[in-house]
Amino acid sequence: QVWVLTLVWKFRDARMLLADLRANRLIDAASAPHRENDFEAELLRREMTLELVSDNLLHAHTLGGHLLAAYPPADPEQRRAIEMEVFYASQNMFDCSNLDAAWALAATLRANPEESYASVWTDCVVANAEWLRGSIDEAEALCRSAIATAAVNEPSDRAVALAAMPSALLAEFLYERNDLAQARRLAEEVMPHLGEVGLLDPAIAGYLATARLHFIDGQFKEAEAVLSRANQLAVNRGFKRLRLSLLAERIRQALHRGRLEEALRLARSGALLSPAEAMLPPPNPTIEDLTRAIVWARVACARGHATDALGVLRRWQRIATTATYDLLVVRLAIQIALALNLHGDALAARRQI
């Protein structure tokens, strides 16, 4: 029950049930210590998945490391499943070092029709990692494979909701490729199912792609409606990373429309008018920290503080380059080029491009 409640984003109910299980232990530790260990490991396993899906990625990563160290599973499949969840959490911390193992697990699951949910989930995790690394072809292929897996191996009523995860990611990829017609088709298909089941990253991708597609068509009210709907989900579920992504998109759109005062108001609401020092990479940086720094730099440039923006962006570019997150390296290079141009150094800006 905890597992199912977690997958459908009923986090409060899942946490209450976990707390009840911990308080009313069904195992007699004195007579069966090995069973007590199994029970504790299972509780930790469910707790880790709950923290992961509810987007408490740092806590999920810590729990996964503790679980593997204190209760190493004898079953290699269980161990690989835990490692995959740890891998998903580690992506947010600029670490894709287990990508080869993730690819191997994805291939194993894809070959088993009874593991369709795990297969789709894993393909999405690996696709997200490849996307961050700039391997767009591989990321797109994984999403298409996951969509096919859901269609073939799941009942029709579940297949659509399950396929929404890879479809939402794919919509963002197609948007970035400027394949707008296909991106629109996918975005329209997945919108009714975002927020139903699965991982947060695909939901973020789906909402942002849909809002941006409306925006470039000049449908500003429709874009805002999508962002508002997503923000309501973020508030209801406690998704801080989604709220930040939506705020960043609102600010981006306001700046594109020349609405500086609106952008400043939004930035102030998200504590994004802080001094430059507050936006430098912390000791253990996350992509969430980077998102905050990029939108801060956009606002800083709009306010005429391009020099401050350059200092922050260049520090983050080193982080992304070291991690070989090439997609983020490119995005940072573009922001640095814009800041350099505003700073009056067109030649350096051209070199960045």
Side-chain angles (χ1 to χ4, degrees):
Q1 287 184 46
V2 170
W3 184 70
V4 172
L5 289 168
T6 297
L7 296 184
V8 298
W9 290 2
K10 294 185 177 180
F11 306 132
R12 181 173 177 275
D13 293 342
R15 286 195 171 92
M16 288 176 62
L17 188 51
L18 264 179
D20 187 53
L21 283 165
R22 286 190 180 281
N24 300 286
R25 306 182 79 85
L26 306 177
I27 303 298
D28 183 352
S31 62
H34 64 286
R35 292 184 65 205
E36 170 68 11
N37 284 343
D38 291 344
F39 186 61
E40 181 62 27
E42 190 64 23
L43 287 174
L44 281 172
R45 175 82 173 84
R46 292 297 181 235
E47 184 181 356
M48 180 185 70
T49 304
L50 174 57
E51 296 301 325
L52 190 81
V53 178
S54 62
D55 210 45
N56 297 316
L57 298 180
L58 294 177
H59 189 198
H61 191 271
T62 300
L63 284 173
H66 171 65
L67 185 58
L68 290 171
Y71 304 100
D75 184 347
E77 290 187 9
Q78 287 187 16
R79 182 177 187 86
R80 284 196 296 267
I82 296 168
E83 288 172 344
M84 176 57 70
E85 295 193 22
V86 172
F87 174 68
Y88 175 59
S90 71
Q91 290 178 28
N92 191 52
M93 294 175 276
F94 292 91
D95 181 9
C96 281
S97 56
N98 284 334
L99 184 57
D100 289 344
W103 267 103
L105 178 58
T108 300
L109 292 171
R110 211 176 296 126
N112 185 352
E114 295 181 358
E115 294 283 2
S116 57
Y117 183 89
S119 178
V120 170
W121 194 97
T122 304
D123 278 347
C124 287
V125 170
V126 181
N128 195 64
E130 291 291 6
W131 173 241
L132 289 169
R133 288 164 46 82
S135 305
I136 305 174
D137 289 340
E138 288 85 349
E140 184 176 327
L142 282 161
C143 287
R144 294 190 185 281
S145 170
I147 293 167
T149 297
V152 171
N153 296 324
E154 288 286 321
S156 58
D157 58 331
R158 291 210 305 263
V160 176
L162 184 56
M165 279 196 294
S167 295
L169 284 175
L170 184 56
E172 182 184 31
F173 302 164
L174 293 170
Y175 169 84
E176 295 281 359
R177 284 189 185 277
N178 208 35
D179 189 346
L180 302 184
Q182 278 205 66
R184 284 190 185 91
R185 178 183 61 79
L186 276 174
E188 289 172 1
E189 289 178 2
V190 303
M191 272 303 291
H193 304 285
L194 293 177
E196 285 185 6
V197 63
L199 301 168
L200 183 59
D201 281 290
I204 293 175
Y207 283 123
L208 292 183
T210 305
R212 288 168 181 168
L213 286 163
H214 283 307
F215 184 81
I216 61 176
D217 288 339
Q219 299 169 347
F220 304 132
K221 288 184 179 178
E222 290 83 350
E224 178 56 32
V226 170
L227 296 174
S228 295
R229 173 181 168 181
N231 194 63
Q232 191 60 53
L233 172 69
V235 171
N236 291 343
R237 303 298 187 194
F239 288 144
K240 294 180 182 178
R241 198 157 54 101
L242 176 56
R243 292 185 71 179
L244 175 63
S245 298
L246 298 170
L247 178 64
E249 181 60 20
R250 279 195 166 104
I251 292 172
R252 188 186 75 89
Q253 292 187 7
L255 290 174
H256 271 296
R257 297 181 70 187
R259 299 186 170 189
L260 179 57
E261 288 304 315
E262 180 183 341
L264 291 176
R265 177 181 59 78
L266 290 166
R268 193 173 294 109
S269 73
L272 292 169
L273 297 180
S274 308
E277 293 75 20
M279 295 297 146
L280 294 172
N284 297 300
T286 67
I287 294 178
E288 185 178 351
D289 297 324
L290 172 59
T291 300
R292 191 175 290 107
I294 287 177
V295 70
W296 174 90
R298 285 177 176 154
V299 173
C301 285
R303 297 171 69 199
H305 301 159
T307 302
D308 290 342
L310 283 169
V312 170
L313 292 169
R314 282 172 169 153
R315 290 279 292 275
W316 276 106
Q317 193 179 47
R318 289 197 286 272
I319 298 286
T321 301
T322 301
T324 66
Y325 276 29
D326 290 351
L327 174 74
L328 303 183
V329 174
V330 170
R331 288 180 175 170
L332 284 161
I334 291 169
Q335 293 301 317
I336 289 170
L338 293 170
L340 284 166
N341 195 51
L342 288 170
H343 193 252
D345 197 341
L347 183 61
R350 197 172 295 117
R351 281 199 297 270
Q352 285 289 327
I353 297 297

